[in-house]
Structures are given as structure tokens and as C-alpha cells.
Amino acid sequence: MIITIKKDADEKNLESLIAWIKNQGLEVNISRGEFQTILGLIGDTHQIDVDLINGLNIVDKVTRISEPYKNANRKFHSEDKIVDINGVKIGGGHFQIIAGPCSVESADQICFIAEQVKKSGAKLLRGGAFKPRTSPYAFQGLRGEGLELLTEAKKQTGLPIVTEIMNASHLPLFENVDVIQVGARNMQNFELLKELGSLKKTILIKRGLANTLEELLMSAEYVMASGNEDVILCERGIRTFETATRNTLDISAVPMLKKMTHLPVIIDPSHAAGIASLVHPLSLAAAAAGADGLMIEVHNDPDNALCDGPQSIRPEEFEKVSADVQKILKIVGKHMD
Ligand code: PEP
Ligand code: MN
């Protein structure tokens, strides 16, 4: 529930309204703007008599909000959230590219790719150690060893690392990981989300293959309600009737999410299309649509990659994507720094 206070409301009456609300067992999020003060009531507001509050002379209007997400709601946080990962900022005008292979395969592979993408402007390194594969017979990732190799690449390049967790019991292995990724298939693993909410690490949540934006925000809400506000959302393509691409990039998710939430929103064009040649145009589209970043799969030898070779671009192609994205960023007033 949102209570909009009249512009010249008496401060004493406002204070007593706030005290009364708190007395009802609710939390109040007070947003004082230049023209309006807004009270966001957090908790079960069913027992609140809307007519009673509407009748107060300091109240302009009372709106029952239907969105079940409060912490992730733009209505309570007009300012863009800026997530800071060891000095690398995402959101609020800061645009970043997370790049690296689908899977960590060897020390040479991950360190070489890390150096290459860093040269072209990537500020974060990705690489899967625990891989969610459709087939149990496919390469499952180097698991603990993969995390060690990522740590090695981080030491060598200084790039913070982003990698996926599939099971909360693996958390002790993630100590050196800077951004923990929740993959599309785990977006609604609520117990995992709650565990991640108790950490002081950035959590990157990828949209599920068949999940709505509201469901994605409810997943963010799980992490935030458990105390961790450092959440980044990622649109990575959804299932549609189209079969020409691996998934369908929902580009409108970017401006829509920007309305719904203050959290940073990034695009993963690699999993969205599943086709390396589409990564360049979709990356430009993402930047133009207002995304705060990209997550791109880059491999030195896509033909022999152990996972997702067909959608992986080579370091020299990545250089071009990064350069062209920066041209778009100038137009939309964002920067990679
Ligand atoms: C990935 O980023 O490696 C991945 C598996 O992505 P998604 O969860 O979006 O399929
Ligand atoms: Mn992949």
C-alpha cells in the first residue's frame, strides 16, 4: 500500500500517521521527493482501513498496490540501484560487459580468454564450473577445480569473477567468487535464493525459460528479503514457438523491467540466440534498449568448446562487439568505466 501525502502537509500530523502505521506492526518506507512525500507500507496491510487513511487531511491518496515485490519495486526506490563489485559498478549509468567462456576448461583456456576480453573492455570474467546441462551425459563442468582456475584467472587479470551455483551446499567453494549466478533453471529454487540472501556478495539472477517478469522480480525479492540488496537481473531469452533461434530475446523486458524495478538489468545475447553471428546485433539492441550490461560467451576455439561453441564468439569478434556497443552507449548516456 502506498500513501501519497499532500504537498504542504503538516509535519506533526505526518509523524503521528507514521507512528500509527508502525503501531499496526507495519514497516514504513518514507520517500521524500521535491514535490511529494510517499509512504510505502511494508507488511500485511489487509487490516488497514483505506477509507480511514483517505479521510486524513494530510493524505492525497491511498493506493493498494498489487505488486507482491516490495524490496525490488521501483515505486519505493526511485534511484537506480548501483551494484559495486570490487569497484566495478553496474547500474545508474554504469554499463559493464561480463565475458568469458561458457565453461572453464583448463588453466590456459580461462587465463587466455580472460586476458583477451579484458583488453577489449570487459570488466568481469564469466566461466561455468558447475554446468546445468540438459543431458547427464554432457560435460558437467570442472566443478571445484573450475572455481580454482577461475580464481587463478582473477589473480592474473584482476577481473572479478562471475559463476553459477546450482546447489547451496557448494557455497563454501564460492568464497573467492565475486558474483554468484543463479541460472535460468534455478530461478525459482527458493531455498537457494534464501541462502544467497544471507551473503554479502552480488547475485546475478537469470530469467527462467518460461517465467514472467513479475516472477523474476519475486526471485530477486527472495534474495533481498533475506537481507542482500545487491541483485542484478539478466534477460537471456525465453521459450517461444520460434525455432530458428535457441530462445527468443525479449528485448522489451529491458525497458519494462526498468519501469518495474530499480535493479540493474543486463542481457545475455549468447544464450538468447544460440548463434554466434547474432551476438553483435543483439548486443547493440540491448545497449540501445537501456540495458546496464551484457553477458557474452567468448571462446578462443568455439569449434572445439566443451559447451555452447555455436553461440560463442572469438576474442577478435568480441573486440568489435565491445567497440560498437560503446558507440551506442554514447547515444543513450551510459558509460563503461
Ligand atoms: C550460463 O550462463 O552459462 C547458463 C547456463 O545460462 P542460462 O542459465 O541462462 O541457461
Ligand atoms: Mn552457455
Side-chain angles (χ1 to χ4, degrees):
M1 184 184 290
I2 290 175
I3 304 176
T4 310
I5 304 298
K6 282 181 187 157
K7 190 166 176 269
D8 301 316
D10 177 77
E11 193 60 29
K12 267 202 198 110
N13 288 346
L14 177 58
E15 290 307 325
S16 61
L17 173 60
I18 291 167
W20 180 82
I21 295 165
K22 286 184 177 165
N23 232 348
Q24 307 299 305
L26 298 166
E27 277 182 53
V28 190
N29 189 316
I30 307 160
S31 168
R32 287 178 195 270
E34 200 181 331
F35 303 108
Q36 255 178 351
T37 294
I38 288 170
L39 307 182
L41 276 53
I42 303 167
D44 184 3
T45 56
H46 285 108
Q47 79 279 18
I48 301 290
D49 185 343
V50 172
D51 295 333
L52 187 82
I53 298 175
N54 246 332
L56 300 174
N57 61 5
I58 59 165
V59 171
D60 187 16
K61 69 175 176 201
V62 182
T63 319
R64 273 206 184 275
I65 53 164
S66 56
E67 296 97 1
Y69 50 92
K70 301 264 173 16
N71 291 289
N73 200 326
R74 167 77 78 181
K75 277 181 187 149
F76 303 125
H77 310 85
S78 51
E79 297 279 310
D80 286 345
K81 167 83 181 171
I82 300 172
V83 172
D84 190 323
I85 307 139
N86 296 343
V88 177
K89 296 191 174 82
I90 304 190
H94 303 269
F95 186 102
Q96 301 299 348
I97 307 183
I98 303 167
C102 178
S103 306
V104 180
E105 298 173 9
S106 67
D108 284 353
Q109 177 243 21
I110 190 68
C111 292
F112 176 76
I113 298 172
E115 294 285 2
Q116 295 291 307
V117 297
K118 183 184 175 182
K119 257 194 343 213
S120 302
K123 291 282 184 349
L124 297 126
L125 174 67
R126 66 150 285 147
F130 291 90
K131 294 303 303 175
R133 304 303 299 277
T134 303
S135 166
Y137 309 115
F139 175 58
Q140 303 287 305
L142 294 181
R143 303 169 69 86
E145 188 196 342
L147 293 179
E148 281 168 24
L149 299 180
L150 273 172
T151 308
E152 193 55 41
K154 171 176 162 175
K155 271 199 204 123
Q156 205 167 302
T157 58
L159 294 179
I161 50 182
V162 182
T163 195
E164 177 169 356
I165 193 163
M166 297 213 295
N167 191 319
S169 70
H170 298 152
L171 264 176
L173 299 171
F174 280 66
E175 209 180 315
N176 294 321
V177 173
D178 302 282
V179 178
I180 300 183
Q181 176 177 326
V182 176
R185 290 152 194 86
N186 261 317
M187 189 200 94
Q188 289 191 311
N189 182 340
F190 302 120
E191 288 300 321
L192 176 62
L193 295 170
K194 279 193 254 181
E195 289 272 353
L196 299 178
S198 65
L199 304 180
K200 295 235 169 323
K201 276 187 200 288
T202 299
I203 310 300
L204 170 68
I205 307 178
K206 299 188 86 174
R207 181 182 182 183
L209 278 69
N211 286 110
T212 63
L213 298 182
E214 182 170 295
E215 285 164 346
L216 174 60
L217 289 172
M218 288 308 288
S219 296
E221 191 72 14
Y222 260 95
V223 176
M224 299 174 89
S226 302
N228 187 352
E229 306 247 309
D230 292 332
V231 177
I232 300 171
L233 305 170
C234 180
E235 157 62 30
R236 44 79 73 208
I238 50 173
R239 278 269 165 91
T240 67
F241 51 81
E242 183 54 71
T243 55
T245 47
R246 183 176 178 182
N247 293 289
T248 298
L249 177 61
D250 179 8
I251 196 75
S252 59
V254 176
M256 197 60 221
L257 281 170
K258 288 276 162 194
K259 276 186 198 291
M260 298 164 87
T261 183
H262 61 303
L263 296 174
V265 179
I266 69 168
I267 289 272
D268 170 351
S270 311
H271 290 90
I275 301 169
S277 63
L278 266 64
V279 170
H280 181 273
L282 296 186
S283 296
L284 300 194
D292 300 295
L294 289 160
M295 179 185 249
I296 299 178
E297 287 188 342
V298 179
H299 200 286
N300 51 316
D301 184 9
D303 293 343
N304 291 300
L306 293 182
C307 184
D308 285 349
Q311 69 195 32
S312 301
I313 57 172
R314 296 169 197 277
E316 55 276 20
E317 293 166 317
F318 175 72
E319 189 182 359
K320 168 115 180 91
V321 171
S322 177
D324 289 348
V325 161
Q326 290 180 62
K327 291 180 199 158
I328 302 275
L329 292 180
K330 281 204 184 104
I331 301 170
V332 296
K334 288 198 169 80
H335 44 93
M336 270 166 64
D337 55 8

